[in-house]
Structure formats: structure tokens, C-alpha cells
Amino acid sequence: MKNLLNSALAPVSKNTKETCEPEKYIANEEFSQHFSLLSLQTNINRAPANWLRGGVDDHVNESCHWDISAAPEMSAIKMASKYDTNVFKTTDVIADSRNVKKLLKIEHSDSEISMAVHRIGRSLLVDEFPLTSNSFVNSKSKKNKKRNRTAMNSHSNLVSKFLYHTMLKNNYLTFSNPSNDLVLRKRSASQSDIIVGMGDPLSRLEIDLPTTSTAPGETLYNRTVFWNFKDIAMLLGNNMPIFGGGEYPAISLKLRDMREPINILTGIDCWLDNLICNVPELAMCWHLDGFVQSYDLYKTEDIPDLTDSKFSPNVIQNLASNILKFLQANAVKEGNTYWLYKAKGDDIVKLYDLSSICKGSNMNANETNPFSVPVAMLCFKVAQKLYEEGNSANRSTIYTLLKNCLPLIPPTAYRQMRATCHFIISDMFLSSTFDVSKDNKVVLKAAPLYECRFNNVPDVCVCTKDCLLDSEWEPEEVHYCWFDIASDLKKQKKVALDHIISALDLIEDSMQAWAVKLQKLLVFKVSLIFLHEAEITKDKTSLINAVLSLVCLDAYNALLYINDTLYEHGYGYSILRSLLLCNVSDHILNDIMQTSSHSNMICSRENVIDLMSTKSSSSSNYLDHKKIYEWCFKILPDLCFSKRIIQSNFETKEEKLLLCLDMYLEAHRYNDNIAVKKLGFVYNELGSYNLNLIHLPDSLEEEVVKKLLKQSFEHYQSAISYFRKCHDTHNIALIYSNLGKVMRISGQLQAKFHYGPEGRSELLFEERKFYEEAISYYNQGLDTLRKPSAQKDIWWTISSELSGVYFSIAAIMQDYTPATNLTQRSDIAREVTNYLHKALRISEGLVREGFSNASVRTGGIHHKLASLYHNQLRDPEKPLPAKRSKRLFEQATTHYTNAISYFKEAGLEVSYVQVTMEYVGLLQYLSPTPLSSLPLCIMTIVSLTPYLHRMRHIKNSVKMCNILETQILSLLKTMVLLSKQGKTLEKPKSGIVGGEKDVIQIADPKVAYTLALRGFQNYDAEKDKLSLVIKILESLKT
């Protein structure tokens, strides 16, 4: 200790004990004064000229009451609201430094302690809880407080005048904040967009919050200190006057009566003040009845060793550590108000859960917890700041803060804040972030979210002073359990939906800008929930959920134009809407393909409500969405998709397809990569639908048919354009096949409308042009696949269609050859032969690949070729050379035998018999070797016997029998004539292909002819001629 009036000022040591060395202090505006001494016998009872004059004196006025005044009401809450969320992660205690000093003097003081404690994250907020301002103490205690007020005011005025006298002799200095202050660092602007995928961040909403913080420009403290005390991180407000200058850059100044030496409480108080503010020395001014007597200078580290005020710094440090552990162990519920109380002269410190006491008692409005609204606002601000940071690791903290905030808000006040709380909680359980799978399915990210529950925590926690002073004391273990709501996605969505409904209840009738914005966010979130429900359900409710999701999104769209104001939305909306439109369209398309009635079940609004109610009553876990549906439906525009779906009857397939087309097109406008293949599919279905209408009534007018064909063609062209975008070669090939079908049908109808019902004639030019275009489209389809192995079924399906077109055009040209000159007929024959060979090459390939249906067409093509060569052989106007005739005969024979074989294999008995009879005619009249052909003809006709048995019910059996009669008699008569001429018939080596394998030889043709002729002459018209033919053929065998 040095007497400053009797000795020169010595240099001040800036070293303090390492264990107590504080961190640098942080202030909005540091208050520091050059220090200058007052003269002896200065009368500080007399007010100086600058006393309470304003300006810089405002800081002096705040500082002069520092030692003798209580902390401001809710100072910790107000101070905490000024800092970002990092404070609550790194700070253990936030308080006025006077409140901390009271707690650290608890061992040596018998005075009453009454403080409110709140927990926000890691931090404990400690505030003065004056008993005079609440109803928890009796009137006698209030009267005792009033008696001391007069004495305190007198001392406060004396200290104030003393400091102002000192100010007159010193210069005022101001220091700015360090630029690297981590506590005051502002949040980066890049974190402002808090809604993932939405262009409407919640931070832009002007929340109508209660006023609990300081007014703009107002400061609670001259300095805010971030202080570490034995590993306890504290954020403290401090107004202690600090002087300095010259040899004394930092020194604290105290005024004390000479008749009152420094006691242990004063020593602890001064020591803690200097440690907190990092002041190395204390100047004590002694006065007697207001007249200055002397100054003493003390180093901070020497204060604990002063006479009459000795104390142990280690005891103070252990006390601080144990008080913190006690509060951390018992003040565990964020948002609750805890009352830390020690009665005067009592050794027991009690911690009451004031929030639980208020809830459990029937208190009137004046007796409710005074900290409820301020704490609620602080919880909301901290949660909102954490939410704006966008860090998913904070979601559990955000949920806990807001869950505790909601009960603290008065039910009829701060509607906007309550609605916002509900929205943020819903977003915690269901973030706007979602994945899109390869098949365009929306997958919600269910990130872990935990809520902490504490069990068996008493409303009152008791701890003695001895327990607090025991450095070995540890808090009792708190038993709590964690439950992961996010692990059950159904429960997660249910909780989110409950909070969304609560928010909508608060703002459903409000048209204010902030309410409309919040309504947008809420219905967007609900739409996402229902879309996911549609994805995970497989029954009829899947479509209902998809439609409900669309209802919500259409309501969101309607809210964009409320009050003629267009609100922007971001990419999240476009992705969700495109996926949702695809989802609903997929359901309708499935309904079309399966010919089910799911879509018709939601044809009315009442049916939707009934189905929702039925499902809700049968499953307790099912989402009850009737309330949201009703709210959204009343704001839907008339032309929106959801209303069209709900109010449509879907009488035709085309109505469903056109609705799907509109939805897919809108989805595609939002995202070029979505619904590309689906658009191609819908256009293909529309084309096929129009094409199928042509086959229904035969009485369709020509203009109607042409219109349907044109629409089908345009739909198929559109389908190809979309399949090309996604490089779907298989579907491109199929659409080319459908285009070929359109051209083929166009050619058929061209002839039908031209010739009318009487029958057709030669091939029309327009008809042939359509067939050639059909051939071109079929070939383009095959070229798209490049090779059969690319897609075997598609390749051979298109090939079959192409073969059919070749066969059709050849058959028409062959059957309706115009009566032209010989050269033109030869050209037509060559062209027909070319078409038939192309068709045959494809058809035989199909047979080799195992397509059984191709056997019929292959047999028909062989039959057509055989008939063509047969006709050329018997053309009387064109004599043929022997070699040419022989070649044509061989070709005709080959094709006849192949046709007979294919028809027999296919089981076409009528065609088999007819072709066999034509073949017999070829052998009988045009064979170059009639002596060997005639027995073969007889044997071939006889081989038809088994098939004739099964043809009794055929309409043309009589006509066929007449032809057989003529052929049998003609063959036998020819054999008789050759026998008379002495010519011997050659014995056939074997039967024909598909006929009898046993060789049949007629020894006496004349007898056989006579028996056959008599049999046919004795035929009675009323009898079955087929039986007669069969009887005669059987007789020829023997």
C-alpha cells in the first residue's frame, strides 16, 4: 500500500497472478479517465459545476451509482439478445457483474440473495430478482427495503459528487472496440437465405415482438467483459469507473469513510471488480464527513492479503465452480424461470422452478411469472438466429427453444411470433431439402432430430453453503432419456403437420403481407408431406394423397397473387410442382392402363372428405388432413389442376389423357429433364386412342375419319420428338411402327371411300402412296434399332407389320390387275413378285425365330406366289419357251408344296384343301410329265380324305365338293384315254409333301372311272355330297 498524497507515484506493475489473470474486456464504448488527485480537505459534499449536466456526464452518472445500486431488471436477457448464437455455445454465465459478485461473496455474507436464472443452450442467464417488485414475499420484507433506501441515496449522491469532482481535474478518453472481437462479429450475409429452395427467407418477415431489449442507441453498460475465471466463461456487464493516464494507464477508484476500514466483503468486491476489468491497481480515497483525507494505492494481487479483509482466492474460485455445477445440474429446462434464493442469515440456498410453480397455482395476472415474455422473446430470437444459420446440427436446440417458448407467450398476444414458432418447428421435423431419385421419385431426408427429456427433476433444489464451498462436490447425476422422433418418419410428419395446423389456425384469416408469406411456406410444407405419403402408399389412398398435395401446391400458387402482389418463388417450388404433377399423372395413367375406378372415386369434393375421414378413423397414425384440405380448397382458382381432377367425371379415356398431357407439359416447362418419356407415352396413347375410334363404327363420315387420322399422326410425331430427347430408341421404333399403321389404315380407307360398298377395283395412286409411306416408316423403325438383337420383340413386331404391308399391296395388285396390255401386265407381275418375295423373306425369318403366328402369313405368301406362277403358265396370250415354262412350273410347285406344309402346320384345314386342289390342277394340266403327274394327282386328292371328314360344317363345302367331283372325273377320264392310246402311267415313288406317304396305284382306270361316274350320277340332292366324295375317294384307295 502506498499513500499517494505523501509520496511520488511509483510505476505500476501490470502483472497479476496467473490463476486470476482475466481476458481483455470488450465494450461498445470504453469509459476511461486520466487520473488526477483531489486536494486535501476537498469538500465533496458540495456539488461541482458539471454534476448531472448530461453529455459525457451520462457515463459518469451510470458509473457513480455502480457500487451502491442494483443491476437493471432483466439485464442478462437484454444483454444476451445483442449477441449472436456463438455466445450461447461458448459462455457459461451471462449476467451483470454485480450479481456474480453477490454469488461469490455468499460464504462471507449473511445478506439476502434473490436471483432469476434461465438456461439458453450452454449459458445460464442470471438476473436480479427484486422481491419488492413481485408478490412472492410479504409486506414486512418490502417495508425493510424502503427503510434502507434513504441511506443508500445519500451515499450514492456523495459518491456521484466525488467522481464529478475527479472528472473536473482529468481529461476524458475514448477507446474503440478491437477489430478482431469474436463476440461482436456479425453473421455472414450468405447465411440469410434460410428456406432451402425457397426465395422467401423467414428473416425478411417483420416479426412483431414485445419490447424487452434496450432502445436503439441505448447501452446498458459502459463495457461488456468476456471473462474467464477458473475455466468458467462469463459474459458480464460492468460500469465500474476506471481512470488512467500517464504512469497509471488503468486504475479503479473507490470512496470510503475513514471510520470504516476495508472489511472482507469490501476487499472481495474490489478484488473481483479489478479482475473482471483487468485493472492492475486500486486507488482508495478516504474521507471524513465528506472532506478528502488521503489516498491509498493497492495492487490487485495484494488485496486478498490486506489486514481485516483477508480471504483465499482459491476458495472464491472453488465456490464459483461449485455454484456453476449446481445451477447446471438443476436449471436444465430451457425457457423455464428458476428462482435462486437465500434468506437473510440463512445457510441454505434454494433453487425453485418458478415456471412449474406458476403453472400449478391459480395466480391472477399480476402474480404470473414476470420473466415469461422476455424469456420467450429471447428463446425465439436465439432459435431464429440458429435457424437462419442453416446448420442442421442446431435443429435439436432450435426445437427445444421454441417448444419451451410457446407456452410462455400469452395466448392472445404476439400472434405472428407464435405462428412463426410453429412453422420453424415443423421445418425442423421436415426440412425443405429432398432428393430426387432416378425414376423421378421424391425422397425426403429424415435427418436425426432429438428432444431431451429430464425425468425426476424437483421443482425446488436445495444446496447448503458448505456444500457449495466443498471443492470436491459434484452434482447428482441427472437421469434423462433421449427419443429420436426422426427415426419414425410417419411420426415426424405427423408432428410437423400438427404444428402447421396450429400456425394456420393463427393466421388463416389474415391478409397481411407477413401472414400471406407464412401461409405460403406452410402449405408448401404440407404439399411435401402429402407427396411423400403418396410415394410410400400403394392402395387407393396414394392417389388421394397426391391430389391433396396438388391442392396445397395450387393454394400456394394462388397465394402468390394475393392483393395483386406477385411473390417470387425459388427452384424448390418448381421441382416440387413438376414432381407432383408427374406423380398425379402417373396415377391417372395407371388407372387408364388397369381400367380401374380409382380416379372416379375422387370425382367430388365430398368423396375426398369421406375417404379421408374413413381412413383417419381406421388408423390412429394416419395424417388427418381434412382441415388443411378445407382451408386450401376455398382459395383455389377454378382452372387449377386439382379442381379439374376433383370435379371431373372422366367419362372418356381421352379426357384423362388430355389432363395428364397438360400436367406433364407444365412439369416439363419447369424442368426439361422431367416427364420427357411420359410425354412421349401420353402422345402415343392419344394417337392410338384416335386410331382405335376409326374401327368402332363403320358409318363414320370421311371428314371425321380424316380428322382422326390427322390427329393420330400429329400425336405420334410429338411422341417421337420427346422420345428423341431422352434417346429412347426402342420407343422411337415403336412410334415409327404406329406411324406406318396410320399410313396403312389411310390407304385402306382411301380405297373404301373411293369405291364404296359395292367392292373395290385396281390399286389407287393415293392408296399406293399411303402404302409406300407406311413401308418407309416401318423401315425407319427398323433402322432405329439397327439390328434384331437390340430388342428382339420390337424388331420382329415391326418386321411383321412391314411384311403385312408388302403382302397387302402385292395381293391388291395381283387380285385387281387392270386390263392393260401384255407389257404392263408383265411389269405388274414383276412388281408383285418383288413385293411378295420381300414379304416372304421377312415372314420366314419370323418363323425361324419362333413366332408361330407368322406361319399363316408365310403360307399365304407362298400361295400367292404359286398362283402368280400358275397364272403365267396358263396365260394364252403369251406363249412361253420350254425352259421358261419348266422353271415357272417348278417355282409354282415349290410354293404350292410350301404353302400346303405351312397351312397344315398352322391347322388351317380349309386353306390346306383349297391349295392342294389348286396344286392338283397345276399337275393335271400344266405338268411337263403328265404320265407321272396323273397318279400323283390321284394320290394327292385321296390324301384329302381325313380333312374332308372334319369339314362338314364349312359353308363352302358343297362348292368344294363340286370342284373335287370335276377333278376326280377329269383325272380318271384322262387316265382312261391314255390307257386306250397304249401309254403306261408311271408309278409314283411317294406321296406329296403333307399328303399320304403310301403309294396309291389304280390298276384299271376304266373301272375306277365307271364307279365314280355312277356314284356322282346317282347323287340325291337331299343327301350329303361331302360323304359321297369321301366314299368315292376311299374306294380309290382299294
Side-chain angles (χ1 to χ4, degrees):
M1 180 183 71
K2 295 182 180 180
N3 190 296
L4 299 184
L5 292 178
N6 300 326
S7 63
L9 292 174
V12 179
S13 174
K14 297 181 180 179
N15 294 327
T16 59
K17 293 182 180 179
E18 185 176 354
T19 57
C20 301
E21 181 179 358
E23 297 285 341
K24 64 181 180 181
Y25 61 81
I26 303 163
N28 293 329
E29 185 177 2
E30 180 188 341
F31 174 64
S32 181
Q33 311 295 336
H34 284 292
F35 180 63
S36 184
L37 304 178
L38 297 180
S39 302
L40 288 175
Q41 300 302 319
T42 299
N43 184 6
I44 59 177
N45 292 304
R46 188 177 63 233
N50 63 341
W51 192 46
L52 305 179
R53 297 301 183 189
V56 73
D57 302 334
D58 291 341
H59 298 287
V60 180
N61 188 43
E62 294 170 359
S63 297
C64 74
H65 295 89
W66 174 252
D67 288 330
I68 44 79
S69 62
E73 289 186 2
M74 306 178 191
S75 57
I77 296 176
K78 295 177 182 178
M79 186 164 51
S81 64
K82 292 180 175 293
Y83 292 91
D84 64 14
T85 56
N86 289 327
V87 171
F88 304 102
K89 300 176 184 178
T90 59
T91 307
D92 297 308
V93 178
I94 300 175
D96 188 298
S97 61
R98 286 167 290 191
N99 294 332
V100 172
K101 290 192 296 181
K102 285 183 181 180
L103 292 176
L104 297 183
K105 293 188 292 185
I106 195 172
E107 177 194 4
H108 305 283
S109 174
D110 290 333
S111 61
E112 181 183 67
I113 292 180
S114 177
M115 294 184 186
V117 181
H118 302 91
R119 188 187 188 99
I120 303 294
R122 170 183 168 181
S123 302
L124 295 171
L125 281 62
V126 181
D127 278 307
E128 184 77 17
F129 191 27
L131 300 181
T132 55
S133 61
N134 63 75
S135 59
F136 289 99
V137 295
N138 54 35
S139 59
K140 180 178 179 181
S141 177
K142 296 181 180 180
K143 292 179 180 178
N144 292 334
K145 294 289 183 181
K146 292 180 180 179
R147 293 193 189 103
N148 296 328
R149 190 172 302 168
T150 303
M152 291 176 61
N153 288 339
S154 176
H155 179 65
S156 175
N157 289 335
L158 186 63
V159 173
S160 176
K161 294 172 183 177
F162 165 69
L163 292 174
Y164 274 96
H165 276 291
T166 305
M167 278 286 295
L168 287 174
K169 303 190 68 174
N170 292 278
N171 296 323
Y172 177 70
L173 298 177
T174 301
F175 297 92
S176 61
N177 279 336
S179 60
N180 61 347
D181 177 12
L182 297 178
V183 178
L184 295 181
R185 185 176 55 193
K186 293 184 178 179
R187 178 173 57 86
S188 172
S190 64
Q191 299 171 347
S192 61
D193 199 7
I194 59 174
I195 306 299
V196 179
M198 302 286 287
D200 190 11
L202 191 65
S203 56
R204 299 176 190 172
L205 298 177
E206 298 178 359
I207 307 299
D208 183 18
L209 296 176
T211 304
T212 59
S213 60
T214 56
E218 180 185 354
T219 57
L220 282 173
Y221 301 101
N222 294 332
R223 69 189 62 82
T224 305
V225 181
F226 189 72
W227 183 44
N228 280 333
F229 186 61
K230 196 183 179 182
D231 299 329
I232 301 174
M234 304 188 202
L235 181 63
L236 305 178
N238 188 280
N239 277 344
M240 184 183 73
I242 300 175
F243 296 83
E247 297 181 75
Y248 293 90
I251 187 170
S252 61
L253 182 61
K254 303 289 184 180
L255 179 67
R256 192 162 184 84
D257 196 320
M258 288 195 69
R259 291 166 294 197
E260 298 178 3
I262 299 176
N263 56 32
I264 190 171
L265 293 178
T266 303
I268 293 174
D269 193 82
C270 295
W271 179 68
L272 289 173
D273 275 339
N274 279 16
L275 284 182
I276 291 171
C277 297
N278 198 17
V279 176
E281 291 184 307
L282 164 68
M284 184 70 73
C285 177
W286 301 95
H287 76 95
L288 187 62
D289 296 330
F291 290 89
V292 176
Q293 300 299 312
S294 64
Y295 282 86
D296 286 334
L297 182 65
Y298 306 95
K299 290 183 178 180
T300 301
E301 64 267 26
D302 295 336
I303 295 176
D305 298 325
L306 294 178
T307 306
D308 300 327
S309 66
K310 288 187 177 182
F311 62 89
S312 172
N314 289 332
V315 172
I316 303 297
Q317 293 172 358
N318 291 336
L319 178 65
S321 179
N322 284 282
I323 290 175
L324 178 64
K325 291 178 181 178
F326 172 71
L327 293 177
Q328 286 178 336
N330 295 287
V332 293
K333 298 180 181 178
E334 292 186 87
N336 275 23
T337 298
Y338 293 90
W339 181 27
L340 185 67
Y341 180 71
K342 184 183 79 72
K344 185 175 182 180
D346 197 350
D347 290 338
I348 297 178
V349 179
K350 298 180 180 180
L351 184 67
Y352 296 88
D353 188 347
L354 195 59
S355 298
S356 300
I357 294 174
C358 292
K359 290 178 183 178
S361 60
N362 297 322
M363 294 184 175
N364 55 40
N366 296 326
E367 294 174 325
T368 56
N369 184 358
F371 291 91
S372 294
V373 173
V375 171
M377 188 197 71
L378 180 60
C379 289
F380 176 79
K381 283 188 174 181
V382 174
Q384 189 182 23
K385 288 179 181 178
L386 289 172
Y387 183 63
E388 291 171 359
E389 291 176 2
N391 187 353
S392 60
N394 295 328
R395 292 197 295 176
S396 177
T397 303
I398 296 170
Y399 171 71
T400 305
L401 288 170
L402 294 179
K403 194 69 175 176
N404 294 328
C405 168
L406 284 169
L408 301 177
I409 306 173
T412 58
Y414 314 118
R415 182 176 59 165
Q416 185 178 0
M417 189 170 84
R418 291 167 59 210
T420 307
C421 286
H422 284 298
F423 167 74
I424 296 177
I425 291 176
S426 70
D427 196 51
M428 293 303 97
F429 286 103
L430 190 69
S431 174
S432 296
T433 304
F434 52 87
D435 287 336
V436 181
S437 60
K438 293 181 180 180
D439 54 350
N440 292 333
K441 300 294 185 181
V442 60
V443 181
L444 300 182
K445 289 183 177 179
L449 174 63
Y450 300 92
E451 178 183 346
C452 183
R453 253 189 207 166
F454 297 93
N455 297 331
N456 304 322
V457 178
D459 291 340
V460 180
C461 300
V462 180
C463 184
T464 62
K465 287 200 295 183
D466 294 337
C467 183
L468 290 176
L469 294 173
D470 184 4
S471 59
E472 300 299 326
W473 176 82
E474 293 291 340
E476 295 183 4
E477 183 180 0
V478 178
H479 298 281
Y480 59 89
C481 63
W482 295 86
F483 64 94
D484 186 4
I485 297 178
S487 64
D488 185 352
L489 189 57
K490 180 177 287 188
K491 182 178 180 181
Q492 187 174 339
K493 290 182 289 185
K494 180 67 169 63
V495 173
L497 193 62
D498 288 342
H499 283 282
I500 290 173
I501 292 174
S502 298
L504 286 175
D505 285 340
L506 292 169
I507 61 174
E508 61 179 346
D509 297 326
S510 177
M511 287 293 104
Q512 299 180 36
W514 68 266
V516 173
K517 288 184 179 181
L518 199 53
Q519 288 168 0
K520 278 175 44 189
L521 300 178
L522 292 169
V523 297
F524 183 89
K525 195 68 64 178
V526 176
S527 180
L528 195 60
I529 295 176
F530 290 149
L531 176 57
H532 189 265
E533 281 293 299
E535 294 292 345
I536 64 176
T537 52
K538 297 181 180 180
D539 56 4
K540 61 184 180 182
T541 58
S542 178
L543 179 56
I544 296 177
N545 282 312
V547 173
L548 286 170
S549 181
L550 187 58
V551 168
C552 294
L553 208 59
D554 283 338
Y556 170 90
N557 217 25
L559 290 170
L560 295 176
Y561 299 92
I562 292 293
N563 297 330
D564 297 327
T565 302
L566 175 60
Y567 298 100
E568 296 181 355
H569 51 70
Y571 70 91
Y573 168 82
S574 59
I575 291 178
L576 178 60
R577 185 165 183 83
S578 58
L579 290 175
L580 181 55
L581 291 173
C582 290
N583 185 285
V584 176
S585 300
D586 290 347
H587 280 91
I588 297 177
L589 283 180
N590 291 335
D591 173 63
I592 296 173
M593 297 297 104
Q594 299 172 6
T595 63
S596 63
S597 58
H598 290 178
S599 298
N600 295 330
M601 289 192 299
I602 60 166
C603 61
S604 68
R605 180 181 173 191
E606 292 73 17
N607 288 344
V608 176
I609 297 175
D610 291 342
L611 284 171
M612 288 189 300
S613 302
T614 303
K615 188 67 177 177
S616 298
S617 60
S618 61
S619 176
S620 58
N621 293 326
Y622 190 77
L623 301 177
D624 184 11
H625 34 248
K626 177 179 178 181
K627 188 177 185 68
I628 293 180
Y629 170 78
E630 292 285 1
W631 185 86
C632 293
F633 194 84
K634 66 183 180 182
I635 63 173
L636 291 181
D638 292 333
L639 298 179
C640 66
F641 286 125
S642 55
K643 267 196 174 180
R644 286 175 60 185
I645 294 172
I646 292 173
Q647 296 179 346
S648 295
N649 292 326
F650 294 118
E651 294 179 354
T652 64
K653 177 181 178 180
E654 186 180 24
E655 291 180 6
K656 298 180 184 179
L657 289 173
L658 291 175
L659 177 62
C660 292
L661 179 63
D662 291 340
M663 289 191 286
Y664 281 136
L665 286 173
E666 182 174 331
H668 185 67
R669 284 195 295 270
Y670 287 117
N671 191 327
D672 292 339
N673 298 321
I674 290 180
V676 178
K677 186 176 289 189
K678 296 294 178 63
L679 279 168
F681 179 79
V682 173
Y683 274 119
N684 177 57
E685 287 296 314
L686 282 169
S688 300
Y689 175 80
N690 289 329
L691 205 59
N692 292 334
L693 290 178
I694 298 174
H695 298 288
L696 295 180
D698 294 333
S699 59
L700 285 177
E701 296 181 0
E702 183 176 358
E703 293 301 322
V704 175
V705 171
K706 288 183 178 179
K707 182 179 179 181
L708 291 173
L709 288 171
K710 181 180 179 181
Q711 289 177 347
S712 293
F713 182 82
E714 291 174 350
H715 289 320
Y716 286 138
Q717 289 282 16
S718 299
I720 281 185
S721 66
Y722 284 105
F723 284 133
R724 280 175 178 165
K725 289 182 180 180
C726 59
H727 309 288
D728 190 345
T729 55
H730 298 162
N731 278 317
I732 292 174
L734 287 174
I735 299 301
Y736 274 126
S737 176
N738 289 338
L739 285 170
K741 184 177 181 181
V742 171
M743 294 296 106
R744 180 165 56 86
I745 294 175
S746 298
Q748 294 172 352
L749 293 175
Q750 182 71 28
K752 177 181 178 181
F753 289 120
H754 179 80
Y755 291 113
E758 289 115 15
R760 67 161 303 136
S761 182
E762 61 183 276
L763 184 69
L764 298 173
F765 173 79
E766 295 83 0
E767 182 184 6
R768 180 169 184 167
K769 186 176 180 180
F770 280 125
Y771 280 129
E772 289 175 349
E773 288 184 7
I775 292 171
S776 175
Y777 282 123
Y778 286 130
N779 283 320
Q780 288 184 63
L782 295 175
D783 292 340
T784 303
L785 295 175
R786 296 183 181 179
K787 54 183 179 180
S789 59
Q791 186 71 315
K792 183 178 179 181
D793 292 339
I794 297 177
W795 175 278
W796 292 115
T797 298
I798 299 175
S799 298
S800 177
E801 294 287 335
L802 178 59
S803 174
V805 175
Y806 283 137
F807 180 76
S808 297
I809 192 172
I812 295 172
M813 294 176 69
Q814 183 179 0
D815 295 342
Y816 302 99
T817 303
T820 55
N821 57 46
L822 184 62
T823 303
Q824 290 178 334
R825 288 203 305 272
S826 298
D827 293 339
I828 292 174
R830 281 194 298 271
E831 198 169 2
V832 170
T833 303
N834 182 41
Y835 280 128
L836 288 175
H837 277 291
K838 287 181 178 180
L840 182 63
R841 184 171 59 253
I842 296 172
S843 188
E844 287 181 337
L846 291 170
V847 173
R848 287 193 299 270
E849 291 295 327
F851 291 88
S852 58
N853 295 333
S855 298
V856 178
R857 180 175 294 165
T858 306
I861 296 171
H862 280 296
H863 181 206
K864 283 292 183 182
L865 283 169
S867 299
L868 180 66
Y869 296 137
H870 193 168
N871 290 333
Q872 290 179 5
L873 280 172
R874 63 187 180 187
D875 188 355
E877 298 181 7
K878 184 181 180 182
L880 297 174
K883 290 184 178 180
R884 171 69 174 163
S885 296
K886 184 178 180 180
R887 187 167 63 252
L888 287 175
F889 178 81
E890 291 175 351
Q891 289 175 333
T893 301
T894 300
H895 287 296
Y896 272 131
T897 55
N898 287 336
I900 291 171
S901 177
Y902 279 114
F903 286 145
K904 182 180 180 181
E905 181 182 353
L908 299 178
E909 296 175 346
V910 175
S911 299
Y912 171 78
V913 172
Q914 289 176 345
V915 174
T916 301
M917 292 166 61
E918 291 181 22
Y919 177 54
V920 169
L922 173 70
L923 293 175
Q924 180 181 359
Y925 298 108
L926 299 175
S927 174
T929 57
L931 294 179
S932 62
S933 297
L934 288 176
L936 182 60
C937 290
I938 292 294
M939 192 171 63
T940 302
I941 289 179
V942 171
S943 68
L944 296 178
T945 304
Y947 301 96
L948 293 176
H949 277 291
R950 296 191 291 269
M951 294 177 59
R952 297 182 181 276
H953 303 292
I954 302 301
K955 292 182 179 180
N956 297 328
S957 60
V958 176
K959 182 179 179 181
M960 192 178 300
C961 290
N962 292 334
I963 297 174
L964 280 172
E965 177 186 354
T966 303
Q967 283 188 328
I968 292 171
L969 293 176
S970 176
L971 284 170
L972 293 175
K973 185 177 180 180
T974 303
M975 292 176 68
V976 171
L977 293 175
L978 290 174
S979 177
K980 288 181 178 181
Q981 294 174 3
K983 296 181 179 180
T984 304
L985 299 178
E986 297 179 3
K987 182 179 179 180
K989 297 180 180 180
S990 61
I992 65 169
V993 176
E996 295 288 342
K997 294 184 179 180
D998 296 333
V999 176
I1000 299 175
Q1001 185 177 7
I1002 299 177
D1004 190 349
K1006 182 176 180 181
V1007 174
Y1009 175 73
T1010 303
L1011 292 175
L1013 182 62
R1014 289 177 180 176
F1016 287 120
Q1017 287 177 347
N1018 296 328
Y1019 167 72
D1020 189 351
E1022 297 180 356
K1023 295 183 178 180
D1024 185 6
K1025 192 170 186 177
L1026 183 61
S1027 300
L1028 176 62
V1029 173
I1030 294 172
K1031 182 178 179 181
I1032 293 174
L1033 289 176
E1034 289 177 345
S1035 66
L1036 291 177
K1037 286 185 179 182
T1038 59

